[in-house]
Amino acid sequence: MALLKVSGLAKSFGGVKAVSDLSFAVAPNQIKAIIGPNGAGKTTVFNLLCGVFAADAGTVEFAGRNISSLAPYVRARLGVGRTFQNTLLFDEMSVEENVMAATEAGLRLNAFAYLFRWPAVARAERQRREIAAEALKLVGLQDKARDPAGNLPAGERRLLEIARALGTRPEIVLLDEPAAGLNNAETDRLKHAIRAIRDRSITVLLVEHDMGLVMEICDEIVVLDQGAKIAEGPPLLIQEDDRVIEAYLGRPADNA
Ligand SMILES: Nc1ncnc2c1ncn2[C@@H]1O[C@H](COP(=O)(O)OP(=O)(O)OP(=O)(O)O)[C@@H](O)[C@H]1O
Ligand SMILES: [Mg+2]
């Protein structure tokens, strides 16, 4: 059974059809990518999946359950985690604290607990620290746990964002352009991290413009052009698909 299933999804902004009649599925333990030219609708799809926008039509099913009308935080709690195209880290806090801030464990403790139930607070704190340590290990930042986040270079900031998404203990994690702005060495670390995440049985759906990375690590690719799916399949078939080549290189008429 698919872990995530999208059927007939549509979203317009004014007159612009950002996403139209989109259907695809993500199997458990897959690394799947959504690619397409700028403005194709990729980020909009992510926003529809995690509930930032309500869809005009269509459904999103997660683990067999229709989550289309659920709020973003409910979807996150059910296991849909994500990163954003633009970073938001707490630079003054340590790397570890950045991840701990994203974990939910212990949030149920109220002020009363903090005043009178220290063992429960200490236990929740320990649990959050463990979740953070595991997330940092998956992305290869365990040795930087105590460093201020503001000291990290671009590539490691990106890895930290991913660790923050893992801090919510997702079953699927949505990564929006994780390789944007990274150099080759940083992209290699990112590849390694994405594979490690999948090996921990966390399904990965990513939007990415770095075709080298997409072709190397993905099991399957969905190609969007002007909001519609024009191809779907394994990397080797996508690379040879005429409609995909046309969407990227421009139609003959566009070049005239
Ligand atoms: N909040 C919004 N309000 C109005 N229009 C929007 C909004 N978000 C996206 N759009 C429009 O929807 C279309 C798809 O945008 P989207 O950001 O999903 O593309 P994308 O594939 O992620 O592009 P990129 O590769 O540049 O990140 C574009 O025409 C964009 O201008
Ligand atoms: Mg985008």
Side-chain angles (χ1 to χ4, degrees), residues 199-219:
D199 292 345
R200 277 288 276 115
S201 298
I202 299 166
T203 304
V204 179
L205 180 63
L206 69 150
V207 161
E208 188 47 66
H209 284 292
D210 182 333
M211 286 306 123
L213 176 132
V214 167
M215 296 300 165
E216 191 179 329
I217 68 170
C218 292
D219 302 302

Side-chain angles (χ1 to χ4, degrees), residues 38-39 41-44 85 176-177 207 209:
N38 290 117
K42 306 177 297 293
T43 297
T44 304
Q85 208 167 334
D176 197 352
E177 300 199 26
V207 161
H209 284 292

Side-chain angles (χ1 to χ4, degrees), residues 141-156:
L141 283 181
Q142 65 276 23
D143 296 338
K144 302 265 173 116
R146 300 290 153 84
D147 293 8
N151 285 8
L152 298 184
E156 293 187 333

Side-chain angles (χ1 to χ4, degrees), residues 31-37 178-179 187-188 190-191 194-195 198 206-224 230-245 248:
I31 301 177
K32 189 150 182 162
I34 301 177
I35 66 169
T187 303
D188 276 343
L190 175 70
K191 273 182 210 162
I194 292 174
R195 287 199 174 112
R198 192 263 299 276
L206 69 150
V207 161
E208 188 47 66
H209 284 292
D210 182 333
M211 286 306 123
L213 176 132
V214 167
M215 296 300 165
E216 191 179 329
I217 68 170
C218 292
D219 302 302
E220 270 193 284
I221 300 168
V222 170
V223 189
L224 291 188
I230 57 167
E232 181 173 14
L236 286 176
L237 289 180
I238 292 299
Q239 280 173 44
E240 295 174 349
D241 188 288
D242 287 340
R243 290 190 65 185
V244 176
I245 294 167
Y248 273 95

Side-chain angles (χ1 to χ4, degrees), residues 18-71:
V19 177
S20 50
D21 196 22
L22 178 67
S23 302
F24 69 90
V26 187
N29 279 322
Q30 244 189 350
I31 301 177
K32 189 150 182 162
I34 301 177
I35 66 169
N38 290 117
K42 306 177 297 293
T43 297
T44 304
V45 172
F46 269 19
N47 285 329
L48 294 171
L49 293 178
C50 66
V52 172
F53 299 145
D56 298 336
T59 55
V60 179
E61 280 172 59
F62 176 68
R65 173 174 179 182
N66 186 342
I67 61 166
S68 312
S69 57
L70 301 179

